[in-house]
Amino acid sequence: MSQRIIIFDTTLRDGEQSLQIALNTKKKLRIALALEKLGVDVMEVGFPISSPEDFRSVQVIAKKIKNSLVCGLARCVDNDIDIAARALQVAKNFRIHIFLATSNLHIRSKLKKNFDQIVEMAVHSVKYARRYTDDVEFSCEDAGRTSINNLCRIVEATIAAGARTINIPDTVGYTTPLQFSKIITTLYERVLNIDEAVISVHCHDDLGMAVGNSVAAIQAGARQIEGTLNGIGERAGNTALEEVIMAIKVRSDLFDVHTNICHKEIYRTSKIVSKLCNMPISPNKAIVGSNAFSHSSGIHQDGMLKNRQNYEILTPESIGRMEGNSLNLTSRSGRAALKYYMRAMGYQDGDYDMDKLYNAFLKIADEKGQVFDYDLESLAFATSYEDTQDYFYLEDLNIQYSYIGGITTSIKLFCGNKTYMDTSAGINLLNAIHEVLTKITNISTVLKKCEFFIKNYDFTVFIKVNVTVEFEGRYFYGVSLSKDILESFVKSMINVLNSIRRTCQVKAKLHNELRKYN
Ligand code: KIV
Ligand code: ZN
């Protein structure tokens, strides 16, 4: 029968300790609630001795979380264990996780002890923690670089002392999958009481092998996986739990194991962690990256449209991603992708001339890089070259800023063949600019996202601004690059307004409507 892998999340401990700005209790609780909904079995939520704030957040979370086991970290020091137990005891059940370095390097240069003393300390601390709870986990810090004889000895001694979970961390991400699985196999072969504990692994990603090592450890018999959402954590991070969880699910042909995770919560939880921890997810990150379900090359796009399984081993829906997979419209796209988007927007094949559309598309894709569905729409139905050109241009921007008096923004915009000017006063600069542009163009948008990037070219700093706005239930994207941050924002907004106008003009033409701004 399929065995369960215990998912031990340490986003709020190992993950949190790597952040530049510590999370407050409120944010930690929000993450803990999301992790509970995701269905993690154990959540390590802090290191209570490390600070009064950590103590308090562990206490608050321990009180609130009912469906996951809450755990706190402690060194092999009586006072650490007392404090961890005090923070956790508001929960009905809790786990104390104690750790001690076991590699010669750490023992000699960090702890200044010998291995006999280490075993003695570990055994004492496990017994000491057992006075508070039956659920004690012991971690052999730097197990990846510990001699296998010493590792077997301390694992056997701490199980005998009462540890119910033994964690084998690759603290510095040094091992390789084959080597790491051999460590686990050897423990199973040589430790006499190994069946009295769950073997856990905790891998770091310094050589990019944390997930590979964790999966190899499962195949060697480990039954608890420690890690964090999005792989955040010390240095290069920890095992990305979402990757291990989906590997178990997608490759069920290889592993006779399962987890209790609610897979559809993965994407949402990942987003919450990224947002609250202020840790952006790389676009190409497995499972949760923005490109994880995007297809770019013409051959892939055509293959996807014929059968998703050609290039998709898991679906975005399976992890709760509602936007679905996407075909990037770039100069590498073929006609199949264009047809797909036109159909998605409600146009039949006979409604437009594919050859004309494809040629126009290639031209604009070369110029712009990425093309959006609304660009296709305007290209397909443009009756003249002018139809595809920009209508709005920035003529002048005047901003007066006073810390006490607020902000006055004036914009002069060239619209077709006339210039219009308007002004707005307010306390928020971006809002004021948005308001003036709305007044002049009569296009009412909701600003959804605005990203600023610094670019250095030939010792000159440029600011790239990406904006996303919503207009009549549809998203439009704008981009601009300027030496000045505000000019760049205004121009990226104008870029969006031009796209909206073109799209509306096409729609208006198609439906014989007249728009106000024409
Ligand atoms: O990486 C590590 O060794 C740890 C231990 C405290 C488990 O985080
Ligand atoms: Zn760690």
Side-chain angles (χ1 to χ4, degrees):
M1 208 186 75
S2 160
Q3 287 185 4
R4 178 161 69 92
I5 297 294
I6 299 165
I7 297 296
F8 177 114
D9 178 277
T10 181
T11 304
L12 291 172
R13 200 277 299 168
D14 212 328
E16 202 267 351
Q17 79 193 31
S18 71
L19 302 181
Q20 282 176 358
I21 301 170
L23 295 175
N24 60 29
T25 302
K26 206 167 145 202
K27 285 185 178 170
K28 283 191 184 171
L29 183 60
R30 273 187 67 195
I31 293 177
L33 290 167
L35 292 170
E36 183 183 40
K37 209 161 170 206
L38 175 67
V40 303
D41 301 286
V42 188
M43 59 173 92
E44 182 169 59
V45 297
F47 190 5
I49 191 79
S50 66
S51 70
E53 293 75 37
D54 224 47
F55 178 91
R56 204 182 114 64
S57 56
V58 171
Q59 205 172 34
V60 168
I61 295 169
K63 207 167 178 177
K64 207 76 188 181
I65 298 298
K66 300 281 175 255
N67 299 319
S68 307
L69 190 70
V70 179
C71 168
L73 186 68
R75 290 169 298 182
C76 281
V77 173
D78 289 357
N79 191 42
D80 274 34
I81 298 170
D82 292 335
I83 301 289
R86 207 178 302 154
L88 290 162
Q89 68 199 3
V90 286
K92 210 163 95 210
N93 298 310
F94 60 88
R95 175 178 295 185
I96 296 179
H97 177 193
I98 50 181
F99 73 101
L100 189 59
T102 53
S103 67
N104 280 341
L105 182 65
H106 278 224
I107 294 172
R108 290 183 191 146
S109 64
K110 190 177 86 176
L111 302 175
K112 317 268 185 235
K113 298 211 180 295
N114 62 44
F115 195 67
D116 288 343
Q117 291 170 305
I118 294 296
V119 176
E120 201 182 303
M121 279 170 76
V123 166
H124 166 80
S125 292
V126 169
K127 287 185 179 159
Y128 192 81
R130 279 294 300 258
R131 296 179 359 182
Y132 292 110
T133 172
D134 288 346
D135 199 336
V136 173
E137 171 170 334
F138 177 72
S139 276
C140 315
E141 192 193 6
D142 205 20
R145 292 188 297 174
T146 299
S147 86
I148 194 69
N149 288 344
N150 282 354
L151 199 61
C152 289
R153 183 176 154 204
I154 199 161
V155 167
E156 194 163 311
T158 47
I159 294 176
R164 288 292 154 262
T165 304
I166 295 291
N167 186 34
I168 308 297
D170 182 19
T171 303
V172 288
Y174 179 71
T175 63
T176 62
L178 215 57
Q179 191 188 7
F180 199 55
S181 86
K182 179 89 178 105
I183 294 174
I184 306 299
T185 312
T186 310
L187 290 174
Y188 272 103
E189 283 164 2
R190 293 189 17 201
V191 174
L192 295 176
N193 54 4
I194 194 111
D195 293 338
E196 293 168 32
V198 171
I199 297 301
S200 167
V201 294
H202 172 117
C203 299
H204 279 267
D205 209 29
D206 301 66
L207 292 175
M209 282 187 270
V211 170
N213 284 342
S214 304
V215 168
I218 293 176
Q219 289 178 306
R223 287 296 172 263
Q224 175 174 287
I225 296 295
E226 301 196 1
T228 59
L229 261 286
N230 306 334
I232 65 169
E234 282 287 353
R235 306 177 310 280
N238 287 61
T239 295
L241 283 178
E242 66 281 5
E243 295 180 19
V244 176
I245 291 164
M246 290 316 285
I248 291 173
K249 185 166 194 279
V250 172
R251 297 309 310 271
S252 57
D253 57 324
L254 289 182
F255 314 106
D256 195 16
V257 294
H258 65 274
T259 67
N260 272 356
I261 290 296
C262 171
H263 298 94
K264 288 215 159 37
E265 284 295 318
I266 288 179
Y267 191 55
R268 184 181 154 269
T269 320
S270 152
K271 284 264 189 212
I272 292 175
V273 169
S274 165
K275 192 171 155 211
L276 296 182
C277 296
N278 199 16
M279 286 282 273
I281 301 170
S282 149
N284 63 331
K285 161 86 180 60
I287 318 291
V288 291
S290 58
N291 283 353
F293 296 93
S294 298
H295 304 268
S296 290
S297 95
I299 294 173
H300 286 211
Q301 294 182 341
D302 181 54
M304 272 294 290
L305 293 168
K306 287 175 175 145
N307 180 350
R308 281 171 76 161
Q309 285 176 1
N310 280 328
Y311 290 103
E312 191 180 80
I313 57 162
L314 66 153
T315 63
E317 299 80 32
S318 67
I319 57 153
R321 280 178 84 145
M322 289 316 164
E323 76 264 38
N325 58 30
S326 66
L327 309 182
N328 287 333
L329 286 169
T330 68
S331 54
R332 291 180 299 279
S333 300
R335 286 160 197 258
L338 268 58
K339 194 161 151 179
Y340 166 80
Y341 273 107
M342 290 304 281
R343 279 199 180 162
M345 287 185 290
Y347 300 107
Q348 298 308 312
D349 300 353
D351 290 347
Y352 59 97
D353 179 340
M354 174 53 101
D355 288 336
K356 195 183 122 208
L357 173 61
Y358 189 60
N359 288 334
F361 161 76
L362 286 181
K363 240 188 238 157
I364 166 167
D366 271 341
E367 260 170 43
K368 277 183 62 167
Q370 193 171 5
V371 179
F372 299 97
D373 54 357
Y374 51 79
D375 293 317
L376 284 186
E377 208 175 17
S378 35
L379 289 176
F381 301 106
T383 44
S384 66
Y385 175 74
E386 280 68 41
D387 281 358
T388 65
Q389 295 307 292
D390 284 350
Y391 183 82
F392 303 119
Y393 283 97
L394 180 65
E395 240 183 62
D396 199 9
L397 169 67
N398 188 331
I399 292 169
Q400 279 163 23
Y401 178 87
S402 151
Y403 181 61
I404 305 166
I407 301 157
T408 311
T409 306
S410 302
I411 296 178
K412 235 191 221 177
L413 201 66
F414 187 73
C415 310
N417 51 9
K418 273 194 221 135
T419 298
Y420 293 93
M421 194 187 121
D422 222 313
T423 303
S424 178
I427 47 161
N428 179 316
L429 202 44
L430 300 194
N431 273 352
I433 292 171
H434 184 239
E435 199 180 300
V436 183
L437 288 173
T438 308
K439 280 200 237 169
I440 299 179
T441 61
N442 224 342
I443 301 176
S444 173
T445 59
V446 180
L447 186 56
K448 286 290 193 191
K449 196 167 163 187
C450 182
E451 294 168 306
F452 296 86
F453 302 92
I454 309 271
K455 303 259 168 199
N456 283 294
Y457 296 116
D458 291 337
F459 304 105
T460 309
V461 175
F462 284 84
I463 315 288
K464 180 172 170 242
V465 177
N466 288 351
V467 293
T468 306
V469 306
E470 194 182 336
F471 175 75
E472 295 183 349
R474 191 169 176 184
Y475 282 163
F476 289 81
Y477 310 89
V479 61
S480 177
L481 186 73
S482 288
K483 284 189 200 159
D484 177 75
I485 189 165
L486 292 175
E487 180 188 327
S488 196
F489 174 70
V490 174
K491 285 187 170 165
S492 66
M493 280 302 298
I494 293 173
N495 184 220
V496 160
L497 292 166
N498 275 315
S499 295
I500 295 176
R501 185 188 168 275
R502 259 194 301 270
T503 308
C504 293
Q505 204 181 25
V506 162
K507 287 250 185 291
K509 253 184 207 156
L510 288 175
H511 299 102
N512 264 343
E513 281 171 21
L514 272 173
R515 307 291 299 193
K516 253 196 233 168
Y517 44 78
N518 258 333

